[in-house]
Amino acid sequence: MEKIIKKKEQSTIDQLREIRDKMSAETQNMTFEQLQKYVEYQLQGSMYSKAVWM
């Protein structure tokens, strides 16, 4: 008899909360200039990497 294991997937809301919490922890106590560099670094691999953030 085979066991069927159901993998519980996170909801979209849970995933977005995790991302928000991670970003909040990483950017806590950053100055505006440090925050700009953080955003630029995070956008390097994204499809919006050529966007100008000012």
Side-chain angles (χ1 to χ4, degrees), residues 26-48:
E26 290 177 351
T27 60
Q28 186 176 15
N29 299 325
M30 280 190 180
T31 64
F32 182 71
E33 291 79 20
Q34 291 171 328
L35 191 57
Q36 280 183 318
K37 288 180 183 179
Y38 174 82
V39 170
E40 288 173 7
Y41 177 76
Q42 295 297 324
L43 289 175
Q44 284 178 352
S46 74
M47 59 189 252
Y48 301 108

Side-chain angles (χ1 to χ4, degrees), residues 13-27:
I13 299 298
D14 291 337
Q15 291 175 353
L16 290 172
R17 286 180 181 150
E18 280 185 21
I19 293 168
R20 178 200 62 198
D21 293 343
K22 179 183 173 208
M23 287 181 61
S24 178
E26 290 177 351
T27 60

